[in-house]
Amino acid sequence: MNNTQFKTDQEFFMDPQRCIGCHACEMACAECETNGQTPMISVDYVDRFTTTQTSVQICMHCEDPVCAKACPADAITKDEFGIVHSANVARCVACSNCVLACPFGVPKKVEPMQLMMKCNMCYDRTSAGKKPMCATVCPSGALWYGKREDIEKARPNSTPVNSFQFGKQAVKTKVNIMMPKGSTQLVVD
Amino acid sequence: MFQTLNLKAVLVATVVTLGLIASVIVGSRNLQNFDGALIAYLFGTIFACFGIAYRYVVWLQRPPTWRYWVRGWQLFFSRKMFVYGWELAKHFFNDFVCQKFIYHRGTKRWIAHLSLVVGCMIAFAVTIPLTFGWIHFGLKQGTIDTYEAYFWGFKTMEFPLHTWIAFNMFHILNWCSVLVIIGVTFMMRRRLTDAGQIAIQTFEGDWLPLILLLAISVTGLGLTWDYEFMQGKAHQFMAISHAISVILFLIWLPFGKFFHLFQRPAQLGVAIYRKEGEIGEQAICPHTEQPFASKLHINDLKEVTKKLGFNYDLKDGTSHLDLSPQGKRAALAKAHLAARKKSGSYFG
Ligand code: HEM
Ligand code: SF4
Ligand code: SF4
């Protein structure tokens, strides 16, 4: 991509356990210029009947993105900063492979447009040296963007982890999840 | 470079290109009807043909693409051929002729793309057969005001000169240019003003195709302008700059954004695949207990992701892919909560 102000010393850290389900990030996400009024972030009630737990999910920007590999139209690309971009609008044939293959349940398909859209870490902002929208509005620190040393100082009892296990599949991501101190991996199932 | 050359693709592209050359020779009656002035355009087109066929075959070999390709044809030639034939016709009309889905992305985007496609498609329909010597025109014998059009050496129509029909026949490429310029202007405007586009666009990916289309149309109009209003004084300049821009376009055709013209028909294959999925059994998410996709799709995807080197099989014999996107997000949130709980503190 053609912009050079991307700050490589800043990273995304998320802690779904801190999510209070306020939906502020969703509103902020709809301000993103690259996805135009359609929020790409997911705020979920994990299991509404039994718990008040809510959770938030952005694109984790996998090092080896299965969404891109499973795309039959070569519509998803990863750039030199490790950002996995939203579908190329001229190529996406709206097949949903990416939606169903992503282990984090991230991409969304907008049916009438026949187009998949996903979080590109607010590329319009991050490529200009700014923080992603969601991270600037999250009141509880579930979504946080900045320098690694700063979050380590602010949250001494947590360790940023970027390694996941889904069954037999290990996944490494650009985005970190805050885990109990000393953790190395989040084993999902 | 030769190690990365895809042999299958070279083979197919060679056969397709030789087929094209043969059809040029036959269609122009042993080059009798071939217009020598168009030789550079012909070479450009032959190069584009090879490049497009090569890239297409490389693309088809990717596991997800191949799966859709095979499934699409399987369904088309199945017992439900008429059902799917009708489905394809509907989608062809809505998605290719009317491009309704682009309308849903924005009215201006739709107008821009539609005028571009109509302009380009008519222009291709005229220029490609002309370049191949498949069509040519001549005065009807014994007359000085009736023109005849030949296709593959067979007379297909005749029309009187100095009439409305003749005027439009001879100027059709100018009308195409106007349509293309309208489309490109809208697109360039969007690329200059839309902050999202500005953030992600690249020169070779997004601007070059627009610049090439604009150059072709402007120099094409220039040719007419020159002989109508400048007594042909600038003919050489116009002819050369037009030829250069068209040939650059042809060379860029297999590599850049224009390749979507050949990729997009996959949208039709996807449409019948989805139809088949809707008729069949649905995949139920164990978390939400709701259907979220067709069983056909999930099963295919399990195989395709394995071919790509991803294995989401779980210990209990099920797969992470059995979960809907919402189910997957919930699984992650639950695992995170469990890990926090185990550490003795919910927050940190
Ligand atoms: C003569 C053939 C065609 C040409 C020259 C052409 C050219 C273009 C160009 C230049 C763009 C980029 C616009 C931009 O700068 O944003 C584009 C976008 C696109 N094209 Fe085509 N195209 C052609 C045929 C088709 C066909 C047959 C389809 C299938 C329906 C198609 C689908 C698309 C789509 C979906 C986009 C994205 C539009 C948007 O979201 O704004 N194109 N095309
Ligand atoms: S989290 Fe999902 S959408 Fe994001 S890069 Fe990974 S596979 Fe793709
Ligand atoms: S929905 Fe679009 S981006 Fe996603 S896999 Fe299908 S073609 Fe690719």
Side-chain angles (χ1 to χ4, degrees):
Chain A
M1 302 283 156
N2 53 0
N3 215 306
T4 51
Q5 293 172 48
F6 196 94
K7 292 203 173 130
T8 45
D9 61 340
Q10 308 218 343
E11 289 174 76
F12 210 117
F13 301 87
M14 68 169 223
D15 188 345
Q17 192 48 34
R18 285 175 171 250
C19 175
I20 55 170
C22 73
H23 292 269
C25 53
E26 211 173 84
M27 301 301 115
C29 187
E31 297 287 313
C32 178
E33 302 279 2
T34 49
N35 46 271
Q37 283 108 56
T38 319
M40 294 293 111
I41 199 163
S42 297
V43 178
D44 293 298
Y45 299 94
V46 175
D47 188 351
R48 259 194 136 157
F49 296 109
T50 55
T51 156
T52 54
Q53 186 188 4
T54 61
S55 173
V56 63
Q57 188 68 56
I58 60 163
C59 172
M60 303 301 285
H61 300 279
C62 301
E63 286 177 8
D64 184 14
V66 64
C67 58
K69 288 230 170 123
C71 172
D74 301 332
I76 307 173
T77 48
K78 191 175 116 177
D79 72 12
E80 68 266 36
F81 302 115
I83 299 288
V84 180
H85 283 269
S86 196
N88 176 317
V89 295
R91 285 199 191 151
C92 173
V93 291
C95 72
S96 296
N97 269 13
C98 54
V99 176
L100 300 171
C102 168
F104 298 94
V106 168
K108 294 185 178 183
K109 204 172 79 188
V110 185
E111 201 58 64
M113 297 189 191
Q114 296 201 24
L115 181 64
M116 180 283 278
M117 289 204 262
K118 64 177 272 299
C119 152
N120 60 2
M121 218 194 261
C122 282
Y123 198 75
D124 57 330
R125 297 173 55 84
T126 43
S127 66
K130 295 184 185 164
K131 292 175 199 268
M133 267 293 188
C134 55
T136 64
V137 299
C138 178
S140 61
L143 301 164
W144 197 93
Y145 188 82
K147 290 195 180 131
R148 183 171 280 259
E149 64 247 37
D150 291 345
I151 194 150
E152 277 170 352
K153 233 181 278 160
R155 305 199 193 157
N157 297 324
S158 291
T159 307
V161 164
N162 74 336
S163 170
F164 299 83
Q165 191 75 34
F166 299 94
K168 293 187 179 148
Q169 187 61 44
V171 175
K172 280 226 183 288
T173 62
K174 178 179 171 67
V175 172
N176 304 283
I177 190 163
M178 300 305 285
M179 295 278 291
K181 186 99 194 145
S183 311
T184 52
Q185 197 183 38
L186 177 54
V187 180
V188 178
D189 45 20
Chain B
M1 180 193 158
F2 289 105
Q3 281 96 354
T4 57
L5 215 57
N6 188 308
L7 276 181
K8 230 182 240 171
V10 172
L11 206 71
V12 175
T14 309
V15 171
V16 171
T17 310
L18 290 177
L20 175 73
I21 295 171
S23 75
V24 170
I25 294 171
V26 177
S28 63
R29 299 276 169 110
N30 279 329
L31 302 183
Q32 199 173 275
N33 301 328
F34 179 73
D35 183 349
L38 301 177
I39 188 84
Y41 291 99
L42 178 63
F43 281 125
T45 314
I46 290 173
F47 174 87
C49 170
F50 185 88
I52 290 160
Y54 180 85
R55 181 165 173 197
Y56 198 87
V57 176
V58 172
W59 174 58
L60 274 190
Q61 290 173 40
R62 295 198 46 235
T65 320
W66 184 244
R67 180 55 58 107
Y68 275 117
W69 169 267
V70 170
R71 283 275 189 250
W73 289 113
Q74 267 173 356
L75 292 173
F76 185 70
F77 288 113
S78 69
R79 266 177 301 140
K80 297 182 205 148
M81 192 167 180
F82 287 105
V83 180
Y84 290 130
W86 174 240
E87 196 65 22
L88 282 179
K90 273 197 307 200
H91 278 277
F92 182 79
F93 182 75
N94 286 332
D95 300 344
F96 281 71
V97 180
C98 304
Q99 306 188 350
K100 273 190 195 160
F101 68 103
I102 305 184
Y103 177 77
H104 290 290
R105 299 179 186 186
T107 317
K108 283 186 198 148
R109 276 162 88 170
W110 176 68
I111 296 172
H113 194 265
L114 202 57
S115 49
L116 192 70
V117 171
V118 172
C120 282
M121 286 301 190
I122 298 175
F124 288 154
V126 173
T127 52
I128 292 175
L130 272 177
T131 308
F132 291 171
W134 287 356
I135 44 176
H136 71 109
F137 296 92
L139 266 183
K140 188 176 179 177
Q141 263 194 348
T143 68
I144 52 161
D145 58 1
T146 306
Y147 238 43
E148 292 175 327
Y150 289 85
F151 185 78
W152 276 57
F154 301 105
K155 183 174 156 182
T156 39
M157 68 180 288
E158 64 173 56
F159 53 92
L161 289 176
H162 311 298
T163 56
W164 185 84
I165 302 180
F167 180 80
N168 282 302
M169 288 276 270
F170 295 137
H171 287 86
I172 185 86
L173 290 179
N174 287 332
W175 308 141
C176 294
S177 297
V178 171
L179 283 173
V180 170
I181 291 172
I182 293 173
V184 168
T185 310
F186 270 114
M187 287 173 181
M188 285 187 163
R189 185 177 168 276
R190 181 160 170 264
R191 296 211 160 273
L192 287 169
T193 53
D194 183 295
Q197 294 302 316
I198 292 170
I200 56 175
Q201 68 194 356
T202 60
F203 178 76
E204 36 342 319
D206 301 301
W207 275 95
L208 190 60
L210 299 180
I211 293 169
L212 286 173
L213 288 170
L214 191 66
I216 293 173
S217 314
V218 170
T219 54
L221 285 178
L223 278 164
T224 306
W225 181 269
D226 171 65
Y227 73 70
E228 293 275 356
F229 305 109
M230 293 171 65
Q231 298 85 42
K233 283 186 195 121
H235 180 76
Q236 279 232 321
F237 171 75
M238 289 298 176
I240 289 176
S241 53
H242 187 61
I244 290 175
S245 49
V246 173
I247 288 160
L248 285 177
F249 168 84
L250 289 170
I251 293 174
W252 191 236
L253 202 53
F255 303 104
K257 181 174 265 174
F258 296 126
F259 192 69
H260 77 274
L261 172 59
F262 306 96
Q263 270 184 325
R264 290 291 325 176
Q267 198 174 353
L268 298 175
V270 167
I272 56 173
Y273 182 80
R274 285 176 62 184
K275 186 87 188 163
E276 173 76 9
E278 278 165 25
I279 301 169
E281 198 187 337
Q282 299 303 298
I284 311 284
C285 172
H287 174 77
T288 63
E289 294 172 358
Q290 296 293 319
F292 66 99
S294 71
K295 201 106 198 177
L296 171 74
H297 198 174
I298 297 298
N299 289 340
D300 273 350
L301 212 53
K302 283 180 191 165
E303 284 174 28
V304 167
T305 47
K306 280 199 180 136
K307 284 214 175 88
L308 293 166
F310 296 88
N311 187 344
Y312 290 109
D313 288 351
L314 307 181
K315 279 187 223 87
D316 62 2
T318 63
S319 164
H320 187 60
L321 298 183
D322 290 325
L323 287 163
S324 67
Q326 193 189 336
K328 287 176 187 151
R329 297 194 297 266
L332 186 107
K334 284 186 197 164
H336 189 244
L337 172 65
R340 284 282 194 205
K341 210 171 180 174
K342 206 170 141 209
S343 77
S345 159
Y346 284 116
F347 299 103

